[in-house]
Structures are given as C-alpha cells and as structure tokens.
Amino acid sequence: MTADRLTFNTKHLISALVTAGVKNFVISPGSRSTPIALLIAEYAQYDATIHYWVDVDERSAAFFALGLAKGSQQPVVLLATSGTAVLEYLPAVAEAQVSEIPLILLTANRPQELQNLGAAQTIPQIEPFTVYAKNQLSLALQDDEPGVTEYIDFKVQALVHEAWRTPAGPVQIDLPLRKPLLPDMGKAPIEPVQPLTYAAMSKRTLGSPHSLTAYRRIMILAGPNVTEDYQDQLWQFAQAYSIPVWTDILSRVRTPKSLYGLNDWLADDKLDSKYLPDLVLRFGKTPISPNLLSWLKQKAIPIWQIGMPADLDYTRQSQRCFEMSPSEFLNSVACVQSNEQQAFHARWQALKPNKGTSRASNLISCLDQTVKPDQAIFVANSLSIRQMDTYFSGKNSHKIYANRGVNGIDGIISSALGLSVSQKPHRSILLTGDLSFFHDMNGLMMAKKYQLPLDIIIMNNNGGGIFAGLPQAQCKQYFTELFATPLNLDFQAIAQVYDLPYTAVQNVAQLPQLLNQPVTAGPQLILYESDTY
Amino acid sequence: MTADRLTFNTKHLISALVTAGVKNFVISPGSRSTPIALLIAEYAQYDATIHYWVDVDERSAAFFALGLAKGSQQPVVLLATSGTAVLEYLPAVAEAQVSEIPLILLTANRPQELQNLGAAQTIPQIEPFTVYAKNQLSLALQDDEPGVTEYIDFKVQALVHEAWRTPAGPVQIDLPLRKPLLPDMGKAPIEPVQPLTYAAMSKRTLGSPHSLTAYRRIMILAGPNVTEDYQDQLWQFAQAYSIPVWTDILSRVRTPKSLYGLNDWLADDKLDSKYLPDLVLRFGKTPISPNLLSWLKQKAIPIWQIGMPADLDYTRQSQRCFEMSPSEFLNSVACVQSNEQQAFHARWQALKPNKGTSRASNLISCLDQTVKPDQAIFVANSLSIRQMDTYFSGKNSHKIYANRGVNGIDGIISSALGLSVSQKPHRSILLTGDLSFFHDMNGLMMAKKYQLPLDIIIMNNNGGGIFAGLPQAQCKQYFTELFATPLNLDFQAIAQVYDLPYTAVQNVAQLPQLLNQPVTAGPQLILYESDTY
Ligand SMILES: Cc1ncc(C[n+]2csc(CCOP(=O)(O)OP(=O)(O)O)c2C)c(N)n1
Ligand SMILES: Cc1ncc(C[n+]2csc(CCOP(=O)(O)OP(=O)(O)O)c2C)c(N)n1
C-alpha cells in the first residue's frame, strides 16, 4: 500500500463521480477523510465546473446537499470523517430517500483491523443507512490490485446512476483508510475514466392499454412533484378535456386557475353529489392537505395513481397503479370530450379558494404577488407549508420546495441554502416557523460564509403554532411547556452572530422592497410576527 | 381501542420505567408522542423525585440525556415524535453504546397500517438503531388485550435492567400509536406496577485462579472508567506492592502521584530496558493517549485486560481478558512484594510530567488548582481532552467526563449540561474547543431555559487546532479551508442569543474568581484565547 496507490485510486473515485454527473461536493472537516478532501479541492482547481462547500456541522451539511440536489436535480456528494460525523447525515438521508433525492455519501472509515476493538471514532457506519440507501459499497482505495482501479471507475459511475434513476435516492460509499493519509498533491490532478452511459430502459408494457373514455367526471390531483416539469402538457390535456386539476403547492403545476384552497368545502361536506368525480388521477406524492384524500375515501371514488413508485397511498384507495411518469401517462392515454365533463369542470371551477384574513395569509398573498417569475421558495413544515398550500396561487412561480418526505422540522435552513445555490443567479426565499428556524440555526454559517442569496422570512409565533390546532391544546396546564415550547428567540442577536442584515417588518407592505435585493447582496433575515395558529 | 386503554397502558409504561429506576425524562415536542408526554408531566406532578426536561432539538436532547445518565449513573428516558426526530438521536446513541451509558429511547411511531404508504413522518425507525441498541421492542399501547398491560409492566422493567446491566447501553421502545392521541388526564395519575428485581448474577469461574506472584515489574494502566469508583482500593493495592499506576484523565483514579504527562519520554524512546514492565494490567477503556499503548506494543510487553467487555484492545496486544470489574479483580488477585518491583516503581515515579508553557497548559494548570473538591469537568474532544490528559494532575477532582466512546465533536454542550444536572448542588465546568462549541450551539437553549449551573470555558483557537499537528498541515494551499475551518465566531453575540453572562478572560488569573459563582447563578460563557496547536 503506497501513498501513490491511494492518490491514484482516489483520483479515479473523484473522476468517476464527476464523469457520472456530480458537480457539487459538500465536505465536513476531519482527519480520516483527508485524502478525499484534498483531492476534491485539487480537482476543482483544474475543472471550473466542479464546486465544493465546507460545512463543520455534518447535520447541516447533509441538508445543504439535499437542498442543492433538489434544486439542481443532480446528485450531490457528501464527505465526512468516521464516527458520529457520519451518523449526523441520517435525518437528511431519510428525507432524501422518501423524497427521492440523489445523495452520494462518502464516509471515511477506519480499516478492518481496527473495527470493534476500542479504536477511536470507529463504529458500524454502514448498518444505520441500510434501510435508507438504495445501495451501499465499501471501497478499499489503498488496495494495490490493478483490477480495483477499473472497478472504481465502473462501479462508482453505476452507483451514481442508481442514485439518480427514478425513483432517485441516497447511496453510500464507505471508505476504510489506513495511515498514511496524505495524498501526493500537485501531479496530474485529474485521472480520466472510461465513461459508462445508460440508454433509457425499455418500457414495460402494462397488462392492458389504458383509456379514460368510460369516464365523465374525471378529476386530476397533482401531488408533490419531485423532478418532472409537465406543466404545459398537463394544462393542454386538462383544457382539451375540461378536467379540473387540484394542485398541491409542491406539484409545480399550480396556477390561479387550478383548484386549491378549497379545504373548507370538503371539511364541512358542503358539496353535493354533482361534485363527485367518477375517477381521480393522482400524480406525484402524498398531498400536503389530507382533506381531499379523506373526502375521496369517504365517497369511495375510484383512484388511479401515476408515478414511480405508484403504490404509495396511505388512504389505500388507489385501484390502478401506473409505474410511469405523469408525462408518459398523459402521452399515451385516450380520452373523450363530453358535456357532463364540461359541466363538472365548470362546477368545480366556480368554487372560490379561501382568501384568509390572518397575518399569515396576508404574508403569503403578498409573496404570491411579489415573487419573481420562477423564483424559488423553500417552505418549512408545520404551518408554513399548510398555509402556503391554502393561500398561494402560483401566479408567478411554481418553484416551491419543501422537505416533504418525512416532514421534519430539522435541517430547514440548510436545505433552503443548498437550494439557493442551485438557483443562482436568482435569489431564493425561505419561509419558516420559529422552531424550525431554531432547529437548524447552525445552518446559517453557510449563508454567512458563502454569502448565499437567500431571503429568510421567519413567521414568528413564538413556538409550535401548529399544536394549538390539535386536541392537546385543551390541556392548558401542560400545553405551553410540552407542545408550544416558546423559545423567545432574540432574532436580532442571532442575525449578529451570523452577520446577517436583519429587518423586523411590521406589515407586508414592507416586503416587496426588501425582497428586491440583487443576488450579490447575500443572505438576509426578515422577521414577521405571525398568528399563533 | 379506547382512550382509556391508551391512558391505562401508558401509565403502566411510565410506572414500569420509574419502578425500574428511571428518574429523568427528556422530551422533545411533537404530536404523535402526545399521550406519553402528557402522562409523564402528570406523573411528575405527583412524584417529586421524577423530573422531565423539554428540548426542541432532538440531537441536543439525546446528548443532554447522555450527559445526565453519565453523571447520575442512572438510565435516562428520551421521548420523540416519529420521523427524522427519532433519527436525530443516533449520534448520542452510538456514543452511549460505546461508552456504556443506559439510555431508554421512546420513539413514537405511526401504526402498522400507515407504514410505507406515503403517510407523513413515517419511516423505518427501528432499523437504524439495531446495531447500537442492546435491545429493541415495539409496543402497541392501545391493544385491549389484558395480557398486554402485564407484559408492559414486566418487559419494560426488564429492558431498563438490560440497559443498565454491565456493559450498559441504549435500548429502544418504539410506540406505534393511533389517533385519538389525547389521554384521559387528571385521574389516578400513577398506576402501581409489580416490581421486578434482579439478584446479582452468579460469577462465572475463570479457567484458572489468577496470580501475579510470578511478576516483578508490574505496571497498571488505568484507562477511562465508566462506572466504577475503585480509587481507594487501587491505591491501597498499588502502595502495598509498589506498583506504578499510569492514569488516563478519565480513569477517575488520577492523583498527582500517579503517572501521566509522560508522553514525551515514550515518544522519543528515552527509557532504557530498566523501565520495561514484565506485565501490564489494563483497566477500563482505550486511553486518550496512544503513546503508552504503542510503546508497550513495540516492546512486546504482556498485557492483561480487566473489564466488561475485556477484549477491546485495538493494539491486539492483550493476552488475558478478565471479564470482571477492576475491583473484583483486585479483590481476588494474589501478589507479592519484591525489591525489584520497588526499584521499578521508584524509577517510574522519578520521571517528571510535562508541565507545558502554552496558553492551554496554563489554563489547565489553573483549573487543576481552582476546581473544587470533586467538582465535575466535562471535556470536549480534540485538543481539550488531550491537553487535560497531559497537564491535569487530579489533585482536587477526579470527576472528569468526556464523550470518549466515539470521540465526536458533536453534542458537547448538551452532554455537559446534562452532566451538570446530575452534579447539583455543585456547579460543573465545560472545557471545549471553538468548533465543538459551535457544533452544538443549540444545546445552549437548555442552559438558558433551566438556568443550569455550568461554567463553559471555550479554548478558542479559531478552528480545529488539532489538525495543525497532522501531516495535512503541510498542504498550505488547502489547509485552512478544508481542515482548520476558522468560523470567526462572535462569542459575545452568541452569549446574547442565550442570555448568558459572558467574559473574555485575558489571562488565567481571572479564572478563580469567575469560577466561584454560586450554583444559583446559572450558566456562564468564558472565552479564553488558546494556542493554535
Ligand atoms: C425533527 C422534528 N422534530 C419534531 C417534529 C414535530 N413537530 C412538527 S411541527 C412542530 C412545531 C414547529 O414549530 P414552528 O417551526 O415554529 O412552526 P409553526 O408550528 O409555528 O408553524 C414540531 C415540533 C418534527 N416534525 N420534526
Ligand atoms: C461529529 C464530528 N465531526 C468531525 C470530527 C473530526 N474532528 C475531530 S477534531 C475536529 C476539530 C475540532 O475543533 P475544536 O473543537 O475547535 O478543537 P481544537 O482542535 O481546536 O482543540 C474535528 C472536525 C469529529 N470528531 N466529530
């Protein structure tokens, strides 16, 4: 085992990652990962399309990579040293799995002869990821066997492809390394590798051709959408056949003419039988709002679900699963025009979305007006995403993002910052509650360090406002301490810690000007006092 | 399934935990965990020996529980809602496993019929812990079957016992829960359970009685010590037979007359053959300093290792493993006095520990003088713990703690705060580097909220000073960005965010007064500019 072999194979590892489509590396400092970190940095000196980012807190780093992969629709590489550093990745990796984001974990490890013997920073670091990773590999870069280099070239490209292939997800490459860890710097920084390319997989033929011609009250429910931009195609189809489209805020197809903000109609069951669809086509993931789904379930409406995987429906209501993209489905489906469908469409379109009178709805209506065409908004979970789902019309932008795989309140700032990188030269916006903001405050370090163009809007209600709408709100004696958990954050001081321009806005009229910064102005913090619920 | 059954069984769960010895619960807010959180709070109203703590950031919460369990030598319960919240526990759980700390994880979950179907906050949350937990259980509290209540009483006590039994470690109880989640409050808050008690296990007899009578140059190496207080017994034994004792800073047996701070002697191989032991008795875990271990390995000295488990020796040098506590071993071993052993002892005792002239060594010498008898000091990894190991004589206190299982730089503040709870009415001290401080800054919220009596001393060298001593320091072009990673923290502003009294001390003479606060004074932040390396 020589430093040369380590250097040579590590260069192949990096080149294979890049050849397979990786552009961004997010690195956290550590000793065991030394050769990989140094050679990535050197690589980037010679290839201006490659970027690396350094984040001390691995939890934030992983969410940063998640946001960046989400926004760029490209796989992003994470690199950490051995030990708990690696485990810090898990929350973001779980989110990546469920929301289908390609993350490539490089986890430095101690070599086999130091495992499970009391050596420092040495723990099982493959097992915790097994249930979340699409695939895992352990790669001994210091192995002198010549076949190993070829294996790296081939297998690493294959792994990146696997992470990227629909449904996308995380993969892990564990790297047991022996000392000495210092690579040979300054020589032939880039090792070329033989590219491995993939032709599109041949389509499986489904049992029977699918036709909608038997239906007269079709409705489309467009749920959260991970990768596809099928807006134009959908609206052409919907218009041609007068199909009403209920759009989740994360569907990327919401427009003011789509159905949204109608939860009250469903919740109070104000809609008579003329509103009942005879078929619902569900695209994408589970919608934010449970109301439509439970209404459909209660009315026993047939549902076809389209996507990869197409069988994730917690209402257990879907009857046919189409393992294809919405766009493939729309291309191949047969439909007819009918008067009944037209009347059905007109009836739904006549329902008016809830406008709202709360401070939160004011803010969101203002954002709806103010956001630039196709500017990205990252939305935290809890009330933020629900209120966006209810009040945001999508008239200017449908680039709305959230961590809606596992709905964690962790990693929100980092995810939004990662996203903002992918959106340059545009600025991006983050809309978050105060607890979610607190949970990932460390993430702000990346905003400061790289001066990322993100407008962070905190909808502050001093605690978890969402719980005020749940039954436990009745337990007054314990509610505040156990659920609301107000933290009385000093936002001004937080802004100072991270050198962020800070504005507490009194009313929404101040927002348009604040959100009109150039991309070079870097990040800013905007505090908006919101409603408890 | 009725709310009554949920309430009844949850009370049994809590009572079983308490009956088995749990005193502290660390709760993070969430919806799925509602009944458990509320009934813990209610229980604590009626039993003043039970405490609960609320921490929004689950990562910090888990490290807080870890520190509290470490200091109190009692199992501590963690409660989180489903989803990524649960995964945030993993870094602390891995540390608990390796450093043998009993943590009881209660993880709320969605019921089986919502698993893996796209329901919100629903992920596999048992698998990631399997490799770290001693045992895991899934408990359906809403099951009407009467046997279930008895099962809870029995099995939960058994699990706590298992977590606590040497070698201690984490266990997980996953709790799938259906709506409605609101328990019946205000009635019979405490359900008594039948206590399950354990007699000490009968000792296994080892193959042969163990005797030291054949050896004339015995040395003891006391490594990090998890639970045992065998100081007096060890020193009686060592004195009776003139055995030099090399003490790790975490051994809880270090005194000024023990061997420590002698690394230079070993590193430079200045010691001739008269210093070679003919047998080394190793107690406890892997020592901080690798020097003695590598010297012993190089000289091929026979080693006996005593502890549970006794076969964790990454130098693979141990020849006999004694699966018993140091105290049991010392009680049962036969030894003789000899002139050769006396001379050997005198020779080692004549070596002078390294005093140091750095700012770090000054600080530690000052702490050594200033710390109150048996006051606890939590020490961060990286340079802090190494320098403590080199310079701290233990003249006043041997209560030194660290996360030395996996050596993470994560969770340090929270671990120290948890520890400080267990040390009341005494104040505790945290000694940390600036990156470790940053990594768990959120942990400070608990300091503020509960006004915990912790003096936080930051040895600031603006980045990871430890890397300056590693080979990568030669790569000047990348060193600062990839390894040192200076964050230029604004400590004053951080203190303001958490309402902490803040002092930047110019020299160590200011410390004694600062460290002389009453326990009621709550937390404080002390900044000390330290050396790069
Ligand atoms: C990591 C994690 N911990 C806990 C939860 C449970 N949870 C859901 S919403 C919420 C409160 C969020 O408060 P905030 O971000 O202020 O938003 P608000 O409810 O006020 O909109 C909590 C704790 C979660 N989803 N994820
Ligand atoms: C969670 C985690 N991430 C990364 C590491 C690798 N690491 C070890 S020491 C260190 C630097 C610590 O810096 P600081 O706390 O300022 O202490 P100093 O080295 O200056 O003593 C890092 C990043 C680790 N041990 N744990």
Side-chain angles (χ1 to χ4, degrees):
Chain A
M1 192 258 303
T2 60
D4 284 336
R5 178 56 51 178
L6 169 62
T7 305
F8 184 68
N9 278 341
T10 305
K11 286 179 179 174
H12 273 268
L13 167 67
I14 298 168
S15 291
L17 290 166
V18 171
T19 306
V22 169
K23 300 247 171 271
N24 287 279
F25 296 79
V26 183
I27 301 174
S28 295
S31 160
R32 194 56 51 165
S33 49
T34 295
I36 330 286
L38 282 171
L39 292 170
I40 290 170
E42 191 177 64
Y43 194 108
Q45 297 294 315
Y46 290 85
D47 179 346
T49 68
I50 299 308
H51 305 280
Y52 63 93
W53 311 84
V54 182
D55 194 342
V56 169
D57 182 339
E58 294 85 3
R59 173 173 73 173
S60 304
F63 278 108
F64 185 85
L66 179 83
L68 184 40
K70 231 176 238 205
S72 63
Q73 305 214 8
Q74 285 165 357
V76 174
V77 169
L78 279 160
L79 172 65
T81 191
S82 68
T84 52
V86 166
L87 304 183
E88 293 278 347
Y89 284 167
L90 202 59
V93 166
E95 175 63 31
Q97 193 242 333
V98 185
S99 59
E100 304 181 15
I101 304 297
L103 289 184
I104 320 284
L105 275 57
L106 301 184
T107 56
N109 203 342
R110 312 261 152 153
Q112 62 166 344
E113 67 274 14
L114 289 178
Q115 295 295 323
N116 207 352
L117 265 192
Q121 266 179 264
T122 312
I123 49 171
Q125 46 185 57
I126 300 208
E127 291 82 348
F129 294 93
T130 301
V131 71
Y132 295 116
K134 289 181 78 174
N135 210 334
Q136 295 174 299
L137 199 66
S138 181
L139 211 53
L141 294 170
Q142 289 157 324
D143 190 333
D144 264 331
E145 165 69 32
V148 167
T149 309
E150 242 176 59
Y151 177 75
I152 293 171
D153 291 357
F154 191 91
K155 188 69 199 174
V156 168
Q157 291 186 73
L159 267 187
V160 175
H161 177 73
E162 185 164 355
W164 213 341
R165 177 201 290 146
T166 306
V171 299
Q172 179 184 21
I173 307 179
D174 195 60
L175 301 167
L177 290 162
R178 301 193 170 106
K179 290 184 182 174
L181 297 167
L182 204 63
D184 244 355
M185 301 292 287
K187 293 177 205 130
I190 299 180
E191 283 290 341
V193 308
Q194 165 92 36
L196 173 66
T197 59
Y198 287 78
M201 282 178 296
S202 66
K203 301 260 179 325
R204 271 184 301 156
T205 4
L206 291 161
S208 55
H210 39 291
S211 156
L212 300 170
T213 51
Y215 300 94
R216 294 290 175 270
R217 292 199 308 273
I218 300 169
M219 177 183 242
I220 287 177
L221 165 51
N225 174 355
V226 178
T227 53
E228 212 184 356
D229 206 346
Y230 66 115
Q231 199 178 25
D232 295 344
Q233 196 185 355
L234 177 75
W235 286 116
Q236 270 158 28
F237 183 84
Q239 204 166 6
Y241 301 105
S242 306
I243 299 176
V245 182
W246 183 295
T247 54
D248 188 86
I249 183 67
L250 299 177
S251 63
R252 311 230 184 119
V253 295
R254 177 173 295 182
T255 70
K257 67 180 171 175
S258 66
L259 305 182
Y260 70 92
L262 303 176
N263 290 328
D264 291 351
W265 290 98
L266 302 171
D268 306 347
D269 208 2
K270 294 182 190 134
L271 303 175
D272 64 25
S273 64
K274 293 193 299 297
Y275 286 87
L276 294 187
D278 58 358
L279 179 68
V280 169
L281 303 175
R282 259 188 76 176
F283 297 140
K285 304 229 150 207
T286 307
I288 311 299
S289 158
N291 299 50
L292 181 61
L293 290 186
S294 40
W295 185 76
L296 295 174
K297 168 109 179 166
Q298 192 195 323
K299 305 294 181 193
I301 310 295
I303 293 178
W304 292 3
Q305 173 117 349
I306 296 103
M308 279 286 271
D311 54 3
L312 295 181
D313 169 13
Y314 76 86
T315 70
R316 304 171 292 258
Q317 175 80 348
S318 303
Q319 293 171 354
R320 289 185 72 177
C321 297
F322 293 83
E323 294 203 320
M324 46 174 61
S325 68
S327 145
E328 283 169 323
F329 179 85
L330 292 174
N331 271 336
S332 62
V333 78
C335 200
V336 288
Q337 290 181 324
S338 75
N339 292 343
E340 188 176 346
Q341 179 75 42
Q342 273 174 14
F344 178 72
H345 179 256
R347 218 170 287 132
W348 272 98
Q349 294 295 145
L351 299 176
K352 289 274 164 286
N354 193 343
K355 284 277 178 236
T357 54
S358 62
R359 283 188 59 85
S361 64
N362 287 347
L363 175 68
I364 287 166
S365 304
C366 171
L367 269 183
D368 199 24
Q369 301 296 329
T370 310
V371 64
K372 309 253 168 18
D374 274 338
Q375 190 180 8
I377 308 180
F378 195 98
V379 187
N381 289 310
S382 209
L383 293 179
S384 304
I385 189 80
R386 295 191 186 211
Q387 290 164 335
M388 277 288 284
D389 192 43
T390 307
Y391 302 119
F392 194 83
S393 83
K395 70 191 274 270
N396 290 321
S397 175
H398 62 266
K399 282 195 152 178
I400 315 299
Y401 296 84
N403 284 347
R404 209 56 197 176
V406 197
N407 304 359
I409 66 162
D410 42 356
I412 295 300
I413 293 176
S414 299
S415 302
L417 287 168
L419 178 76
S420 78
V421 167
S422 72
Q423 302 299 309
K424 281 201 220 173
H426 304 292
R427 294 185 69 81
S428 300
I429 295 172
L430 165 62
L431 191 68
T432 177
D434 56 297
L435 293 193
S436 307
F437 175 82
F438 167 74
H439 210 295
D440 187 28
M441 227 149 62
N442 275 6
L444 291 173
M445 188 53 82
M446 294 294 274
K448 172 183 174 189
K449 187 166 167 184
Y450 297 103
Q451 286 299 300
L452 298 175
L454 185 69
D455 300 311
I456 302 174
I457 305 177
I458 303 159
M459 297 218 281
N460 182 37
N461 52 16
N462 200 15
I466 199 165
F467 297 118
L470 297 181
Q472 54 260 48
Q474 302 157 22
C475 295
K476 300 229 183 306
Q477 187 181 355
Y478 305 108
F479 179 74
T480 304
E481 183 183 20
L482 290 181
F483 298 97
T485 57
L487 298 180
N488 303 306
L489 296 173
D490 180 341
F491 295 99
Q492 176 117 46
I494 294 166
Q496 195 182 326
V497 169
Y498 295 101
D499 266 343
L500 302 175
Y502 168 75
T503 318
V505 302
Q506 301 310 314
N507 61 64
V508 297
Q510 295 171 262
L511 268 184
Q513 205 200 326
L514 272 174
L515 296 181
N516 203 16
Q517 310 289 325
V519 65
T520 50
Q524 68 172 323
L525 211 58
I526 299 171
L527 181 69
Y528 179 80
E529 296 300 333
S530 190
D531 321 274
T532 310
Y533 180 65
Chain B
M1 189 259 301
T2 60
D4 284 336
R5 178 56 52 178
L6 169 62
T7 304
F8 184 69
N9 279 341
T10 304
K11 285 177 179 175
H12 274 268
L13 167 67
I14 298 167
S15 290
L17 290 166
V18 171
T19 307
V22 169
K23 300 247 169 271
N24 287 279
F25 296 79
V26 184
I27 300 174
S28 295
S31 160
R32 195 56 51 165
S33 49
T34 295
I36 330 288
L38 282 170
L39 292 169
I40 290 169
E42 191 177 63
Y43 193 108
Q45 297 294 313
Y46 291 84
D47 180 345
T49 68
I50 300 307
H51 304 280
Y52 65 93
W53 312 83
V54 181
D55 195 342
V56 168
D57 183 338
E58 294 85 2
R59 173 172 74 174
S60 305
F63 278 108
F64 185 86
L66 178 83
L68 184 40
K70 232 174 235 205
S72 63
Q73 304 213 9
Q74 286 165 357
V76 174
V77 170
L78 278 160
L79 172 65
T81 192
S82 67
T84 52
V86 165
L87 304 183
E88 292 278 348
Y89 284 166
L90 201 60
V93 166
E95 175 65 31
Q97 193 242 335
V98 185
S99 60
E100 303 180 17
I101 304 298
L103 289 185
I104 321 285
L105 274 57
L106 301 184
T107 55
N109 202 342
R110 312 261 154 154
Q112 62 165 345
E113 67 275 15
L114 289 179
Q115 295 295 323
N116 206 352
L117 266 192
Q121 266 179 265
T122 312
I123 48 171
Q125 45 185 58
I126 301 206
E127 290 81 348
F129 294 94
T130 301
V131 71
Y132 295 115
K134 289 181 77 173
N135 211 333
Q136 294 174 297
L137 199 65
S138 181
L139 211 53
L141 295 170
Q142 289 157 325
D143 189 333
D144 263 332
E145 165 70 31
V148 167
T149 309
E150 242 177 60
Y151 177 74
I152 293 171
D153 291 358
F154 191 92
K155 187 68 198 175
V156 167
Q157 291 186 72
L159 266 187
V160 176
H161 176 72
E162 185 164 354
W164 213 341
R165 178 200 289 146
T166 307
V171 299
Q172 179 184 20
I173 307 179
D174 194 60
L175 301 166
L177 290 162
R178 301 192 170 106
K179 290 183 180 174
L181 297 166
L182 204 64
D184 245 354
M185 301 292 287
K187 292 177 207 134
I190 298 179
E191 283 289 342
V193 308
Q194 165 92 36
L196 173 67
T197 60
Y198 287 78
M201 282 177 296
S202 66
K203 301 264 179 324
R204 269 183 301 157
T205 6
L206 291 161
S208 55
H210 39 288
S211 154
L212 300 170
T213 51
Y215 300 94
R216 294 291 176 271
R217 293 198 308 273
I218 301 169
M219 178 183 242
I220 287 177
L221 165 52
N225 173 356
V226 178
T227 54
E228 212 184 356
D229 206 346
Y230 66 114
Q231 197 178 27
D232 296 344
Q233 196 184 357
L234 176 75
W235 286 115
Q236 272 159 28
F237 183 83
Q239 204 166 8
Y241 301 105
S242 305
I243 298 176
V245 183
W246 182 293
T247 55
D248 187 86
I249 184 67
L250 299 176
S251 64
R252 311 230 185 119
V253 296
R254 177 173 296 183
T255 69
K257 68 181 170 175
S258 66
L259 306 182
Y260 70 93
L262 302 176
N263 290 328
D264 291 350
W265 290 97
L266 301 172
D268 306 347
D269 209 1
K270 294 184 189 130
L271 303 175
D272 65 25
S273 64
K274 293 194 299 294
Y275 287 87
L276 294 186
D278 59 358
L279 179 68
V280 169
L281 303 175
R282 260 187 76 175
F283 296 141
K285 303 227 151 210
T286 306
I288 311 296
S289 157
N291 299 49
L292 181 61
L293 290 187
S294 40
W295 185 76
L296 295 174
K297 168 107 178 165
Q298 193 195 324
K299 305 293 182 194
I301 310 295
I303 293 179
W304 292 3
Q305 174 117 347
I306 296 103
M308 279 283 272
D311 54 4
L312 294 183
D313 169 14
Y314 76 85
T315 70
R316 304 171 292 257
Q317 174 81 348
S318 303
Q319 293 170 355
R320 289 185 72 175
C321 297
F322 293 83
E323 294 203 320
M324 46 174 60
S325 67
S327 146
E328 284 170 323
F329 179 86
L330 292 172
N331 272 335
S332 62
V333 78
C335 200
V336 289
Q337 290 184 324
S338 76
N339 292 343
E340 189 176 347
Q341 180 74 42
Q342 273 173 15
F344 178 72
H345 179 254
R347 218 170 288 132
W348 273 97
Q349 294 295 145
L351 299 176
K352 290 275 164 285
N354 193 341
K355 283 278 178 237
T357 55
S358 61
R359 283 188 59 86
S361 65
N362 288 347
L363 175 68
I364 288 166
S365 304
C366 170
L367 269 184
D368 198 26
Q369 301 295 329
T370 311
V371 65
K372 310 252 167 19
D374 274 339
Q375 188 180 11
I377 308 181
F378 195 99
V379 187
N381 289 310
S382 209
L383 293 178
S384 304
I385 189 81
R386 296 193 186 209
Q387 289 164 336
M388 278 289 284
D389 192 43
T390 306
Y391 302 120
F392 194 82
S393 84
K395 72 191 273 272
N396 289 321
S397 175
H398 63 265
K399 282 194 154 180
I400 316 298
Y401 296 84
N403 283 349
R404 208 56 197 179
V406 197
N407 303 358
I409 66 162
D410 43 357
I412 295 301
I413 293 176
S414 299
S415 302
L417 287 167
L419 178 77
S420 78
V421 167
S422 72
Q423 302 300 309
K424 282 199 219 174
H426 304 290
R427 294 185 69 81
S428 300
I429 295 172
L430 165 62
L431 192 67
T432 177
D434 55 298
L435 292 193
S436 307
F437 174 81
F438 167 75
H439 210 295
D440 188 29
M441 227 148 62
N442 275 6
L444 292 173
M445 187 54 80
M446 295 294 274
K448 171 184 175 190
K449 185 166 169 183
Y450 296 104
Q451 286 299 301
L452 298 175
L454 185 69
D455 300 311
I456 302 173
I457 307 176
I458 302 159
M459 297 218 280
N460 182 37
N461 52 17
N462 200 15
I466 199 164
F467 296 118
L470 296 182
Q472 54 260 50
Q474 302 157 21
C475 294
K476 299 227 185 307
Q477 187 182 354
Y478 304 108
F479 179 73
T480 304
E481 182 183 21
L482 291 181
F483 298 98
T485 58
L487 298 181
N488 302 306
L489 296 173
D490 180 342
F491 295 99
Q492 176 116 46
I494 294 166
Q496 194 182 326
V497 170
Y498 295 101
D499 265 343
L500 301 174
Y502 168 76
T503 319
V505 303
Q506 301 309 316
N507 60 63
V508 297
Q510 294 170 261
L511 268 184
Q513 205 200 325
L514 273 174
L515 297 181
N516 203 16
Q517 310 289 324
V519 65
T520 50
Q524 68 171 322
L525 211 59
I526 299 171
L527 182 70
Y528 179 80
E529 296 299 335
S530 191
D531 320 274
T532 310
Y533 180 64

